[in-house]
Structures are given as structure tokens and as C-alpha cells.
Amino acid sequence: AEAKDVDLFFEGSREADFRAMFYDRYKELLGSRNRSESLRWPSAGQHMFGRSTTCYVIAGWAEWSGRDVEAVFAGCIPVSFGRKQWFLSRFINWQMFTLDLPEESRASVDESVAQIEKLVSDPERVRRMRERMHYVWPFLTMASSQTRAAADGILLDTMGLFYAELANWLFDK
């Protein structure tokens, strides 16, 4: 596995009060350990997913976000706050390789910072979580038409899972 030189990467707006508080508190913690460069905000660019051990993924316009998938492909452990709806969660057990923190609130800032710090300081746990991400890659990609034509039965890529999710939705109506 490639070396990760950033502990936590934020991709999303800092406008929310909690996010600014969390970012400042985490930066303060890292500064006290001479690791202040180990926290990045989005101005650093999307390539930071690949350099980061954990990535704070907020919800997008839908209940889930494309950042979830970007983080997984970059080997960056997705971190969420509160009850996040994960992409294709009916089929993918995101809890195997994500860190779900308490709801965004003033009271949870220190606890959230401590949980991320505990994770990034445990290389064996990070390795196991990153390893589990590799198992879901096929579910998050689209197979080529040749692969789809050669498949015997339903192919469990994003399109196959999308059709299954659509069928579930239709039958639930």
C-alpha cells in the first residue's frame, strides 16, 4: 500500500459551524504534535484523496455522495458524521471500512477528533479497513458491454445493483 502523508482530508464546504469547529480542533491537536500538515481542506484538490488516510465525506445533493466512491477508490477511509445514507447500502456493508462518528454538534467535537486520532494511530486497523475496500470495487464500477454480454447471469457491478435497487423500489410501492 502506498504511504499516506495526510491523516484527514475534508472535501466539502467549511461553512457549517460544526465543520469549522471540528477542523480547528483537529488542527490544534495536530499542531501540538508537530503534524499540522496532516490535515487538508479542499483547496488542496481532489488528488488529496489518494494522499489521505481518512476522508470526511459529507452528504451530497442526494442522501449519499460521489465522494464516498472517490474515497474508496483512493484507499481513503470514509468518515461520516451522524446517520449517513451510504451508496447502495442495501448491498454494500459500508461499516466494514468506514468510520461513523456522532451527529455534528458542539458536544461531539472532542469525541470525534479522538476517534479519528485513535484510528490513524493504529496502522493495523487502517490496513484492515483499506483491504476491505478492495472487495467492493467491482460493485462500484461499470462493466464493459463485452463483459456484460459474456456474463452468465446478472453481473454485480453498479448497473446490476442499480437494477436490483430499482426492482426493490418498484415492488415496495
Side-chain angles (χ1 to χ4, degrees), residues 1 45 57 88 107 120 126 129 136 167:
V57 290
L88 297 173
V120 299
V126 168
M129 290 175 84
V136 300

Side-chain angles (χ1 to χ4, degrees), residues 22 81 101-102 106-117:
F22 178 84
F81 290 90
L101 299 174
R106 287 185 180 276
S108 69
V109 170
D110 287 337
E111 179 186 347
S112 299
V113 167
Q115 285 190 45
I116 291 176
E117 183 62 17

